[in-house]
Amino acid sequence: MRVLVIEDDLDIASNIGDYLSARGHGVDFAYDGISGMHLALTGDFDALVIDIMLPGMSGLDLCQKLRTEARRSTPALMLTARDTLDDKLDGFAAGADDYMVKPFALQELEARLLALQRRGQEPGEGALEVADLRLDPATRSVVRDGRRLSVQGAAFDILRFLMERSPEAVKRQEIEEMLWPDEPPPSDVLRSHIYGLRRAIDRPFSQPLLHTLRGYGFQLASLDDD
């Protein structure tokens, strides 16, 4: 696995690099947002580790530009010292796939990066449709009622998973195991992804498609399917 670490704290960057290198991974570094953006666009990486607070360009802006302007889907894991729900929602809205709060265990960082890499290597599939919602895995695009939506990172993977199973209800645990097969993060991380996904695909429209089944999980279906 080849990883780009974009982190301005030299000690943290060095610790990550030493650990991943010792585990057989290739690691490149950038110490500010602008250099990180350049390397992310010109290099071939399996995953990105991005600190939120970066000189030159924040990690949030960097990730958002990669997703919306450059249309890059390289898995991205955000690092931050802030752990509020709003901070996590901001990261996921910018296109992050995962989120770790400092300080963190290097073993867990590697496990999450490997999980992101496996998700990125899944074979392509045909387009999926539920009601007026259409998802194309090949282009990682989502369209509803002719309107292109911004669904990035883990939210995209959740949506694809739910659409593949629609109109069947999916257990919360199944989604967690799909996203994090090694060890699920705290429960509010999935809740943040679901909140962001619902905001993207349902809030602008009159008919909701994403339904929460209390105590069980989630279902993606139109009311006409009931």
Side-chain angles (χ1 to χ4, degrees), residues 14 16 36 48 67 73 92 100 106 108 110-111 137 207 209-210:
S14 178
I16 294 173
L48 310 174
R67 302 301 193 221
S73 58
F92 295 140
M100 292 189 72
L106 292 169
E108 182 181 359
E110 182 196 24
Q207 183 185 32
L209 294 178
L210 179 55

Side-chain angles (χ1 to χ4, degrees), residues 38 56 59 70 77 93 95 102 120 149-150 154 157 171 182 184-185 197 206 211:
H38 174 74
L77 186 152
K102 301 174 184 177
L149 308 178
S150 179
D157 295 320
K171 292 181 179 179
D182 297 298
L197 179 58
S206 59
H211 310 285

Side-chain angles (χ1 to χ4, degrees), residues 180-197:
W180 306 286
D182 297 298
E183 182 178 353
S187 60
D188 64 337
V189 175
L190 178 59
R191 186 170 70 245
S192 298
H193 283 310
I194 293 292
Y195 177 85
L197 179 58

Side-chain angles (χ1 to χ4, degrees), residues 47-50 63 67 73-78 95-99 116:
L48 310 174
V49 177
I50 308 174
C63 193
R67 302 301 193 221
S73 58
T74 308
L77 186 152
M78 285 272 188
D97 297 272
D98 205 351
Y99 190 109
L116 292 179

Side-chain angles (χ1 to χ4, degrees), residues 4-10 13 28-40 49 54 62:
L4 173 61
V5 178
I6 309 173
E7 167 64 71
D8 64 324
D9 187 311
L10 299 184
D28 286 339
F29 299 93
Y31 303 105
D32 63 79
I34 295 174
S35 299
M37 172 67 81
H38 174 74
L39 286 176
V49 177
L54 290 169
L62 190 161

Side-chain angles (χ1 to χ4, degrees), residues 135-205:
L135 179 149
D136 187 341
T139 59
R140 292 187 70 85
S141 61
V142 178
V143 175
R144 183 169 183 189
D145 193 25
R147 178 172 166 184
R148 181 154 185 158
L149 308 178
S150 179
V151 182
Q152 306 290 343
F156 182 92
D157 295 320
I158 294 170
L159 179 60
R160 179 172 62 179
F161 193 57
L162 292 173
M163 292 182 74
E164 289 171 343
R165 300 278 292 274
S166 177
E168 177 187 348
V170 180
K171 292 181 179 179
R172 178 191 186 93
Q173 183 180 357
E174 291 182 79
I175 300 175
E176 291 176 338
E177 290 175 350
M178 180 274 295
L179 291 173
W180 306 286
D182 297 298
E183 182 178 353
S187 60
D188 64 337
V189 175
L190 178 59
R191 186 170 70 245
S192 298
H193 283 310
I194 293 292
Y195 177 85
L197 179 58
R198 179 174 282 117
R199 183 170 57 184
I201 69 170
D202 277 346
R203 183 167 294 179
F205 303 94

